[in-house]
Each structure stands twice: as C-alpha cells, then as structure tokens.
Amino acid sequence: MQLLKKGVLIWIIGLMAFLPTAAMALKTSVAGHVETKGILRWVDYNAGRKGHSDMGGLKNGIDSYSELVSLRTELKIDVLLRPEYTNIPDFRFEKVNMIYKGAYDAIFDLTDRYDNLPVNVDTHEYEVGRDQLRFENDLKEIYADFVYQTSATSTTMRLGRQMVLWGEDTGHFISNVLVPMDLRFATLG
C-alpha cells in the first residue's frame, strides 16, 4: 500500500511539472469532513418482568448491562486541482481529483476485550485482523481528465481509479432473495 501511495505522489508531481506552459496556475478546491460516532449497547434485564413496565428504557433506570461497542472517528478529504489556462490548447489537462478516507476505532485502546484477535493475517486471502478493524487508510479515488477539443469534436480521456455509484439501496436484507420487500410506498426519511 505504501508503494502505491508513493507512486501516486510521484505521478501527481510529474503531472504538475509537465503541465503545458499555457497553464499558469492551479485552482485548488479542498473539501471534507471529520465525524465521530459512538455506539452504546444497553440491555434492560428488567423489561418484561413482573412489576416492571414492558416499555423498559431509561425511565426504569440503567440498572442492567451497558457497554461501549464502537467509538469510530472518520476523516474524508476531497481535493480537486484544475489548471487555469491563459490560452486554451486543443489537447489539455482538465483536472485531477483525489478522495482520501481514513478512520480509527478507539474501542481497541479503551477496552481489552479485542486483544485476542489475530494481528498478523494474510490480507491477500481477505482475512481481517485487529489492525484492519482498528484503522482504515485508503486512497479511494484518484483520476486525471484530459480533453482534446477541436471546433467540430470534443474527446475526454480519464486515467486513474474512480468509483462509480449505480444507485442507492434503501432497504436490503438477505431474506430479500426469497421474499422481496416492497418499498415503493414506504416513507423513508
């Protein structure tokens, strides 16, 4: 993975170094977000017992079992580089887009219950170990667009890695293979 990141960095520097002389500046746009989510599992052992409300919940007090299951912090950065041309050539570099996503789950440092997970695993066999669950460090997309434009035609070429979304799954369960769920009239929000 480190070799891929070094190769991408060298590729970007080379691309910027060999820009046509008509490109005097790069317009840079950076966007992203940082998000932290905590998941608390709570079980009320008194719910449904005689003398207790079936509703359970916090109004009966937290006298049962609760634990922090996940405390995940996620960082996503989107960088867009566009050259600003003084005179527009027929064949030109149009833009470079990079999307990086990193995450860290602090639950592995806050508790010791995950210490028994294997550390050295074979990721080529799609095995997952403690470090793969704890950290995420991925360059999701990086691509460059080139345009060849004449008065009659325009051709675009995209080089790199890009994820293409084909739609959104509003509700999917494994049992949908046998008995599909009809969500045409559901109010989702």
Side-chain angles (χ1 to χ4, degrees), residues 43-109:
V43 179
D44 186 5
Y45 292 123
N46 293 323
R49 288 187 180 170
K50 187 175 182 180
H52 290 279
S53 169
D54 284 339
M55 296 180 67
L58 291 175
K59 74 178 184 180
N60 290 334
I62 299 181
D63 56 352
S64 297
Y65 171 74
S66 64
E67 69 173 335
L68 189 63
V69 177
S70 177
L71 186 60
R72 184 176 171 89
T73 302
E74 182 178 294
L75 168 70
K76 183 178 179 187
I77 300 173
D78 188 356
V79 178
L80 179 66
L81 304 172
R82 290 181 178 269
E84 295 178 342
Y85 293 101
T86 53
N87 55 355
I88 299 175
D90 290 344
F91 181 72
R92 65 184 178 274
F93 163 67
E94 189 69 21
K95 69 178 177 179
V96 152
N97 193 18
M98 296 175 284
I99 298 175
Y100 166 81
K101 182 178 177 186
Y104 164 66
D105 197 344
I107 196 69
F108 294 94
D109 294 328

Side-chain angles (χ1 to χ4, degrees), residues 19-178:
L19 280 174
T21 56
M24 292 302 185
L26 283 174
K27 184 177 180 182
T28 306
S29 170
V30 179
H33 73 271
V34 177
E35 177 180 308
T36 300
K37 284 189 237 180
I39 299 174
L40 179 70
R41 180 185 303 157
W42 176 62
V43 179
D44 186 5
Y45 292 123
N46 293 323
R49 288 187 180 170
K50 187 175 182 180
H52 290 279
S53 169
D54 284 339
M55 296 180 67
L58 291 175
K59 74 178 184 180
N60 290 334
I62 299 181
D63 56 352
S64 297
Y65 171 74
S66 64
E67 69 173 335
L68 189 63
V69 177
S70 177
L71 186 60
R72 184 176 171 89
T73 302
E74 182 178 294
L75 168 70
K76 183 178 179 187
I77 300 173
D78 188 356
V79 178
L80 179 66
L81 304 172
R82 290 181 178 269
E84 295 178 342
Y85 293 101
T86 53
N87 55 355
I88 299 175
D90 290 344
F91 181 72
R92 65 184 178 274
F93 163 67
E94 189 69 21
K95 69 178 177 179
V96 152
N97 193 18
M98 296 175 284
I99 298 175
Y100 166 81
K101 182 178 177 186
Y104 164 66
D105 197 344
I107 196 69
F108 294 94
D109 294 328
L110 295 175
T111 66
D112 59 351
R113 68 176 160 241
Y114 299 107
D115 288 346
N116 295 334
L117 290 174
V119 177
N120 297 324
V121 297
D122 186 8
T123 56
H124 292 22
E125 296 292 326
Y126 302 106
E127 293 179 359
V128 178
R130 186 174 64 217
D131 289 340
Q132 285 80 20
L133 295 172
R134 185 177 181 191
F135 297 107
E136 180 180 347
N137 185 16
D138 194 13
L139 189 61
K140 294 287 188 183
E141 294 185 27
I142 181 164
Y143 58 86
D145 286 345
F146 297 91
V147 175
Y148 178 69
Q149 188 172 20
T150 61
S151 59
T153 63
S154 177
T155 305
T156 304
M157 177 176 62
R158 177 168 284 174
L159 299 174
R161 177 181 181 190
Q162 179 189 14
M163 293 183 180
V164 179
L165 301 176
W166 289 90
E168 185 176 321
D169 189 8
T170 55
H172 181 79
F173 303 100
I174 193 68
S175 62
N176 283 355
V177 176
L178 302 174

